[in-house]
Amino acid sequence: MGEVKKFVFSFGAGRAEGSGAMKALLGGKGAGLAEMTNIGLPVPAGFTLTTEVCDLYYKNNKQYPPELKEQVAEHLARLEKTVGKVLGDSKDPLLVSVRSGAPVSMPGMMETILNLGLNDKSVEGLVQKTGDRRFALDAYRRFIMMYGATAKGVPHDELEETFNQVKEEKTRPRLGAAATKRILDSEVNADEFGVLIPRLKAIYKRHTGEEFPQDPQVQLWGAIAAVFDSWSAPKAVTYREVEKLTGIVGTAVSVVQMVFGNLAERSGTGVCFTRDPNHGDNVFYGDYLPNAQGEDVVAGIRTPMTLHDFEKADKAAYDQLVEVRRRLESHYRDMQDLEFTVEEGKLYMLQCRTGKRSPGAAFQIAVDMVKEGLISKAEAVLRIRDKDIEGLFYPVIDPSKKAEMKQAWLVQGIDAVPGAATGKVVFSAKQAELRAAAGDAVILVRRETSPEDVGGMHSAVGILTATGGKTSHAAVVARGWGKCCIVGCEMLEVDYEDKVFRVGTALVREGEEITLNGSTGDVYRGRLPLIQPEPSEAFNTLMAWADAFRSLEVRANVDTPYDAVKARTLGAQGVGLCRTEHMFFDSEDRILAIRKMIVAENAEERVVALNALLPLQREDFAGIFRAMAGLPVTIRLIDPPLHEFVPHDEVGQKALAKASGKTFEHIRTRIERLHEQNPMLGHRGCRLCITYPEILDMQVKAIIEAALICVREGLEVIPEIMHPLIIDRREFAFLEARTRLVADALIQESGLKLHYLVGAMIETPRAALLSGGIAEKAEFFSFGTNDLTQMTLGISRDDAGRFLPDYVDEHRAAVFRQDPFYTLDQEGVGKLIEMAIDQGRRARHDLEIGICGEHGGELESVKFCHRVGMNYVSCSPYRVPIARLAAGQASIPHH
Ligand code: ADP
Ligand code: MG
Ligand code: MG
């Protein structure tokens, strides 16, 4: 007989069965509670049901494993013993919260129910025990509302509406408050809650057909099911999709003894970060709400006080929190995000996790922690994510536009997530998604955001809310994405009915443009120009550390001298791919010159047309060589099928007829003849130069002449001439011979010294299979993984959108973990690459090997390139820092 599986782990009184290392099993929250308990921080006692239970629950048609009941009963008994109270007892009840918590943080996406254990009898016990009737009834009404809405699907709006009715009927007249004044929850008294509770129960009964459950066991199991069910709620599913969270089995459930932040004045609840999550400064950062419970802070219902004010209001409680901050940072050696409650002056920790931070803060914190001796340089490099680099180049409002800014200024809110955004105003998540899908940049304006809005928030370029603090739901979610966000803009009156918002007398309608500055909280009317900022000092420091670790070189894919300069400033160590054909699209003259070449009748005509192109190409190549002086520049000869260059409309064809001195009819039939059934597998790549070697001659001439010009200027030039779409060694040998013939003649004639390489692009499976033969003549290989992926999978990249998502979806075929055109398919395409490298290096031990597909700028793919022994990766200039980081991370052993 096998051992009984352990599904429940307890914590309390300084000891926990679990630990911080058990996130996958206990969820982030359960693991954090266990770890904090173990290191002696004040945590209320409780126990955690594992994520495995959730997994089994869904696998078995929402049935729990049979051992669960008994294990929960055992742990509840243990909890009751630790606390010295009994769940739902009529004299001195133990109350608990039932909390969700997945292995990866999903802020606000799943449910938590507070004050469980209250019923008509135990609520009186709580009154007796605390001497505070108002408090006890407030707790009970919250429990009925939360339990009803989350466990039983009672419409939350209806419960809220009833609460409002009681406020209007009873509280307002009692206070003699003006009709326009909002009545706060905290102004409702015990008698009024006494009126509210039976009404809430009646709603509960109407919707569920049952009385509100009085048995704490029924409540407990109802709440546990509610948490597990929230795992598959649409908002949680959307969040996991948007965040690309795959391979997590489910949520854990933590049952935790309640502590009360709503017990009179020296109580309260708060959320904080051990460092500033926006800028990364080593300052304590957070929100505190006195006399409040749970969600009050994060839901952004009231705007909370800062920690600074908290210190002034209750120094003794604040000092306990400062001590916890110190201990947790030195324990976890990373910035933490904390949730806490103060009950009558005593601090309790309710949650801790690694804090989400802005990209800028990620660099600042990592670099600071190295300087503080908390972490090593290797750890600092490993902590940066590709997303941090992407987000680092956040746009800002062009600071030279001071006057426009002043004129357009509308209002200021709280700067929740830095960066600037400009777009059209929308008032619902749904609209945001629709308009964004139609190609609009939109700014989502809400009174407050709720977890249901996450799809719309993701679609928006910026988020603006009227309520909430820096730790509100909107801020936390937006920060994770590096998305510009302003919250707590209290001057904002949002009118969902009329689809407008007002600030005093100013009015902005849906569809009008506004600009947000998330770094200052300022909101402007209209569209202000945005620019890219310079990278920070911390960024440069950290990238230098990454560079010191890595052996893989990073080059850039550039087509113009301008891009080459940019790439070099971002750290590129050469050009891995220059697509010569892109130069042809640059101007009318150029496109006309290449078109003449294409419609030429014979070799002589073609040479005339090519001669017109020669000086243009030479000039561009020289520009790139100058920008990359001293570094290698790989130039690929013409690649796309010729019909991509020719006009398919009558106007264009007539113009071409005129320019080339041919009839329109003639041009039209010539172009029709270029049509191919399968252009990607057609007359393209090196096949063009096999048919028309004049093209090769011209391009090689342009490259070598440009190089010689630069040599004369005293520059070091390292040209690498690359033939695309190679399938065979004989084919390559022919092209290589012709390339050298042209190049060597020019070099000899010049009397100068110039070393150049000739190599093959490996992007057909046949070339990969037969790479040894190709390497006999090729001095370098460059893997073109876009085509290689397409041809290895037999999946057209341009048509894959219709079905490839099903291949990635973990609930469907789950063939790939990620889109193979985004992250290299290491299993399949990767195998071909490894084989090709192995055979290639056997034939030529100093074969230079790189990659120039999109994958060269993707974190996981770059790490793969390092592992299989490539010399370099090449990617678009803005991805160069990501490739540098990935290469650095890949070189750090054991992580
Ligand atoms: P979320 O995952 O949405 O943050 P939590 O389970 O952390 O949900 O609960 C939200 C809030 O409810 C907590 O931040 C805390 O303020 C409050 N809360 C949860 N459990 C307790 C408890 N045992 N005692 C007091 N407050 C609690
Ligand atoms: Mg929480
Ligand atoms: Mg290709």
Side-chain angles (χ1 to χ4, degrees):
M1 230 181 67
E3 220 175 285
V4 177
K5 183 131 210 177
K6 186 168 172 61
F7 288 118
V8 185
F9 289 73
S10 70
F11 55 89
R15 288 233 311 276
E17 292 179 315
S19 79
M22 294 164 70
K23 264 196 196 169
L25 194 63
L26 302 181
K29 204 175 286 168
L33 289 167
E35 190 76 5
M36 288 195 292
T37 303
N38 281 332
I39 63 173
L41 297 182
V43 178
F47 53 87
T48 301
L49 281 64
T50 65
T51 54
E52 271 175 12
V53 179
C54 186
D55 192 30
L56 292 170
Y57 178 72
Y58 281 102
K59 283 183 176 152
N60 295 321
N61 201 16
K62 299 204 171 180
Q63 301 287 315
Y64 297 117
E67 307 90 329
L68 187 69
K69 281 256 144 138
E70 201 185 311
Q71 292 191 18
V72 167
E74 228 171 76
H75 283 83
L76 179 61
R78 191 191 297 189
L79 171 62
E80 290 175 334
K81 197 157 162 242
T82 305
V83 177
K85 298 181 187 198
V86 172
L87 183 68
D89 184 70
S90 58
K91 294 222 174 58
D92 182 12
L94 162 67
L95 304 184
V96 294
S97 61
V98 175
R99 312 171 63 188
S100 57
V104 188
S105 145
M106 299 171 56
M109 291 305 138
M110 288 179 302
E111 305 301 349
T112 280
I113 293 172
L114 306 180
N115 307 327
L116 188 141
L118 282 174
N119 55 29
D120 295 349
K121 290 216 179 75
S122 64
V123 73
E124 290 304 328
L126 192 62
V127 174
Q128 293 298 316
K129 211 56 207 172
T130 59
D132 189 340
R133 177 164 212 94
R134 183 195 177 278
F135 155 75
L137 293 181
D138 180 31
Y140 194 23
R141 70 90 194 164
R142 284 178 192 256
F143 174 50
I144 299 170
M145 291 171 84
M146 268 186 269
Y147 188 86
T150 56
K152 297 290 164 185
V154 178
H156 188 257
D157 289 352
E158 201 171 322
L159 298 165
E160 276 296 337
E161 189 44 43
T162 305
F163 191 12
N164 277 332
Q165 276 166 13
V166 171
K167 284 179 182 169
E168 291 306 319
E169 273 170 41
K170 307 282 171 188
T171 318
R172 188 180 297 285
R174 174 174 57 77
L175 295 172
T180 51
K181 187 196 167 294
R182 196 167 128 213
I183 306 287
L184 302 175
D185 297 0
S186 53
E187 291 169 319
V188 178
N189 71 15
D191 290 344
E192 290 149 6
F193 283 131
V195 173
L196 174 62
I197 287 167
R199 292 194 194 174
L200 294 175
K201 284 189 191 157
I203 297 174
Y204 182 93
K205 186 169 181 189
R206 185 147 45 74
H207 280 278
T208 61
E210 298 160 8
E211 297 292 340
F212 186 78
Q214 297 291 308
D215 179 349
Q217 286 297 326
V218 173
Q219 297 176 351
L220 180 63
W221 285 100
I224 289 171
V227 172
F228 285 142
D229 288 339
S230 69
W231 174 252
S232 59
K235 61 181 174 180
V237 174
T238 310
Y239 185 84
R240 291 197 293 275
E241 271 168 25
V242 169
E243 291 279 283
K244 299 203 170 67
L245 301 176
T246 53
I248 316 165
V249 296
T251 180
V253 179
S254 291
V255 177
V256 188
Q257 179 200 359
M258 283 301 299
V259 289
F260 297 102
N262 47 345
L263 198 59
E265 278 318 311
R266 284 204 57 211
S267 303
T269 182
V271 179
C272 60
F273 292 86
T274 56
R275 297 185 188 218
D276 178 344
N278 278 334
H279 303 99
D281 301 334
N282 191 358
V283 296
F284 206 8
Y285 183 101
D287 296 325
Y288 181 73
L289 206 56
N291 197 354
Q293 188 175 58
E295 300 286 88
D296 296 0
V297 188
V298 270
I301 291 165
R302 274 189 278 156
T303 300
M305 57 165 75
T306 61
L307 288 186
H308 186 67
D309 290 335
F310 173 36
E311 180 178 12
K312 280 193 273 178
D314 192 341
K315 177 93 167 74
Y318 176 79
D319 285 346
Q320 295 169 53
L321 188 64
V322 171
E323 175 58 14
V324 167
R325 172 196 184 206
R326 192 190 62 73
R327 296 211 21 213
L328 279 177
E329 269 221 347
S330 61
H331 182 71
Y332 280 106
R333 301 155 67 243
D334 199 356
M335 189 263 271
Q336 297 293 303
D337 167 353
L338 312 176
E339 294 180 5
F340 62 95
T341 281
V342 176
E343 180 181 302
E344 304 202 291
K346 166 136 181 51
L347 175 75
Y348 291 94
M349 296 311 298
L350 292 170
Q351 190 171 328
C352 81
R353 61 187 161 202
T354 304
K356 291 200 176 184
R357 60 205 74 184
S358 76
F363 283 93
Q364 193 62 52
I365 291 171
V367 169
D368 283 350
M369 286 192 167
V370 171
K371 291 189 179 147
E372 291 161 24
L374 268 179
I375 60 174
S376 68
K377 286 180 185 173
E379 284 172 294
V381 169
L382 290 171
R383 276 196 189 165
I384 303 296
R385 305 164 310 160
D386 47 356
K387 279 198 245 169
D388 296 328
I389 295 182
E390 282 164 11
L392 200 64
F393 298 91
Y394 276 149
V396 295
I397 300 175
D398 182 351
S400 70
K401 300 284 188 276
K402 286 247 155 35
E404 284 94 324
M405 275 159 77
K406 201 165 168 207
Q407 227 233 315
W409 189 83
L410 203 54
V411 64
Q412 187 178 34
I414 298 171
D415 50 327
V417 184
T422 174
K424 293 180 182 163
V425 170
V426 293
F427 292 104
S428 72
K430 181 112 193 98
Q431 272 298 316
E433 289 186 56
L434 287 175
R435 289 231 181 179
D440 278 343
V442 297
I443 293 192
L444 179 62
V445 181
R446 301 282 298 164
R447 254 176 240 142
E448 68 218 11
T449 67
S450 79
E452 277 80 11
D453 296 337
V454 17
M457 292 170 70
H458 194 254
S459 303
V461 296
I463 297 155
L464 171 63
T465 71
T467 62
K470 287 189 181 186
T471 55
S472 66
H473 169 260
V476 170
V477 171
R479 187 171 300 124
W481 294 331
K483 183 159 300 192
C484 169
C485 177
I486 298 175
V487 298
C489 193
E490 296 195 340
M491 295 288 291
L492 212 69
E493 286 173 55
V494 183
D495 183 340
Y496 294 133
E497 286 273 283
D498 293 346
K499 301 206 165 94
V500 296
F501 74 76
R502 293 186 190 81
V503 178
T505 54
L507 183 147
V508 176
R509 290 176 204 286
E510 184 166 80
E512 274 185 57
E513 286 184 318
I514 60 171
T515 300
L516 308 182
N517 182 350
S519 314
T520 60
D522 290 300
V523 181
Y524 303 89
R525 256 203 132 105
R527 168 184 293 267
L528 291 172
L530 306 185
I531 58 164
Q532 294 292 328
E534 287 297 310
S536 70
E537 196 51 44
F539 169 79
N540 292 329
T541 305
L542 197 126
M543 290 311 292
W545 293 342
D547 288 341
F549 283 111
R550 74 185 160 92
S551 50
L552 193 67
E553 289 192 7
V554 177
R555 299 188 191 177
N557 298 349
V558 310
D559 303 329
T560 64
Y562 173 83
D563 287 348
V565 173
K566 179 88 233 167
R568 206 163 178 172
T569 65
L570 290 165
Q573 295 163 288
V575 171
L577 176 65
C578 169
R579 308 173 189 85
T580 50
E581 61 273 5
H582 283 204
M583 299 172 175
F584 300 139
F585 291 111
D586 219 47
S587 69
E588 279 298 309
D589 296 357
R590 291 179 174 212
I591 189 80
L592 203 62
I594 184 116
R595 285 173 176 175
K596 279 195 201 163
M597 189 278 284
I598 293 168
V599 297
E601 300 287 313
N602 50 44
E604 283 98 76
E605 264 187 52
R606 207 159 19 250
V607 169
V608 172
L610 284 166
N611 281 341
L613 286 170
L614 177 70
L616 305 173
Q617 290 232 295
R618 189 170 54 211
E619 194 183 313
D620 285 342
F621 293 146
I624 295 174
F625 288 143
R626 285 188 193 106
M628 287 287 162
L631 300 174
V633 175
T634 310
I635 297 172
R636 178 181 72 182
L637 301 191
I638 191 164
D639 184 53
L642 293 182
H643 69 83
E644 281 192 14
F645 297 100
V646 294
H648 294 281
D649 60 314
E650 200 176 306
V651 180
Q653 293 180 352
K654 282 193 167 143
L656 179 55
K658 201 164 157 218
S660 59
K662 298 193 190 308
T663 67
F664 167 62
E665 264 313 304
H666 180 93
I667 295 293
R668 206 184 60 190
T669 38
R670 183 85 183 82
I671 288 174
E672 268 167 16
R673 255 189 281 129
L674 288 173
H675 173 79
E676 291 176 306
Q677 290 299 338
N678 245 325
M680 293 317 285
L681 303 177
H683 198 191
R684 57 173 286 228
C686 68
R687 296 162 202 176
L688 292 169
C689 292
I690 295 281
T691 317
Y692 309 119
E694 313 79 74
I695 300 180
L696 178 152
D697 296 347
M698 182 280 282
Q699 291 205 295
V700 172
K701 197 166 176 210
I703 293 166
I704 298 297
E705 286 180 355
L708 291 169
I709 290 170
C710 294
V711 172
R712 263 188 217 103
E713 288 167 10
L715 302 173
E716 192 194 347
V717 192
I718 311 168
E720 303 188 349
I721 301 172
M722 177 157 83
H723 293 279
L725 218 72
I726 293 296
I727 58 171
D728 186 77
R729 69 189 168 87
R730 282 160 290 245
E731 172 199 45
F732 183 76
F734 171 84
L735 296 165
E736 189 253 359
R738 183 127 183 169
T739 302
R740 294 208 182 276
L741 195 73
V742 176
D744 292 345
L746 289 168
I747 295 167
Q748 202 167 20
E749 197 182 306
S750 74
L752 298 169
K753 254 196 149 60
L754 175 68
H755 184 66
Y756 67 94
L757 303 184
V758 184
M761 214 165 150
I762 306 295
E763 53 185 337
T764 65
R766 194 176 196 276
L769 290 166
L770 303 177
S771 67
I774 295 168
E776 283 168 19
K777 295 283 181 201
E779 294 171 286
F780 67 89
F781 279 177
S782 176
F783 288 94
T785 48
N786 299 344
D787 269 310
L788 190 58
T789 299
Q790 178 156 265
M791 290 191 225
T792 303
L793 273 55
I795 291 178
S796 148
R797 170 150 95 147
D798 304 312
D799 304 309
R802 285 187 213 152
F803 56 89
L804 196 55
D806 296 343
Y807 278 72
V808 181
D809 190 334
E810 63 171 338
H811 301 299
R812 289 181 183 248
V815 174
F816 303 111
R817 272 200 304 141
Q818 298 258 0
D819 180 341
F821 290 104
Y822 177 74
T823 301
L824 189 79
D825 159 34
Q826 296 183 17
E827 200 184 337
V829 178
K831 191 163 192 172
L832 267 180
I833 292 176
E834 278 185 88
M835 221 175 80
I837 291 177
D838 183 49
Q839 293 178 21
R841 287 242 167 90
R842 257 187 242 191
R844 183 187 290 267
H845 76 276
D846 61 347
L847 183 71
E848 180 188 270
I849 297 176
I851 179 179
C852 64
E854 296 290 296
H855 300 104
E858 193 276 325
L859 197 91
E860 290 308 320
S861 312
V862 173
K863 291 182 178 175
F864 169 83
C865 295
H866 167 85
R867 284 200 300 276
V868 298
M870 290 194 192
N871 300 93
Y872 69 87
V873 296
S874 187
C875 56
S876 67
Y878 276 103
R879 312 245 0 140
V880 164
I882 292 175
R884 288 164 63 196
L885 174 78
Q889 290 182 344
S891 304
I892 295 170
H894 317 299
H895 62 266

